[in-house]
Amino acid sequence: MIDRVNPLALARAAILPAACITVMGYFAFHAISGNAGLIAWQGYKTERAAVDADAAKVGAVKAALQRQVALLDPHHVDKDYADERVRRDLGVVGPNEVIIPLPDAK
């Protein structure tokens, strides 16, 4: 005798595996193409390299500014640098003086 399969019982038995497969598919999709997925990760690596380059430039500017601040320290001022700054900021140059601009140290 052949037993008939109840379609309702078959549907009830398939609901849980189908839901699990759907949830796994959802997470797999977002692991690959979501905001923090593998595809976006490559873009983040490129952005990180650009940000690191900008940070290096800012670090160089910071180091240059720290050198200037050290030269203008009130406890031991570098007289040549202070004279240069005053003359540049106030525009005071004597008629017999020659100004030779030097490139910034990098």
Side-chain angles (χ1 to χ4, degrees), residues 82-94 97:
D83 183 54
E84 175 189 337
R85 291 290 299 190
V86 168
R87 288 176 182 270
R88 183 175 11 155
D89 291 346
L90 297 178
V92 179
V93 179
E97 293 179 336

Side-chain angles (χ1 to χ4, degrees), residues 24-87:
M24 287 189 310
Y26 173 82
F27 284 115
F29 171 78
H30 285 287
I32 294 171
S33 66
N35 291 339
L38 295 175
I39 295 171
W41 187 48
Q42 296 300 324
Y44 292 147
K45 287 172 92 176
T46 305
E47 288 179 29
R48 169 85 188 256
V51 168
D52 287 343
D54 289 343
K57 289 177 187 176
V58 169
V61 170
K62 180 181 177 183
L65 290 174
Q66 285 177 336
R67 282 191 300 276
Q68 291 177 359
V69 167
L71 291 173
L72 293 173
D73 184 21
H75 299 293
H76 44 78
V77 175
D78 183 10
K79 293 179 181 164
D80 291 333
Y81 185 69
D83 183 54
E84 175 189 337
R85 291 290 299 190
V86 168
R87 288 176 182 270

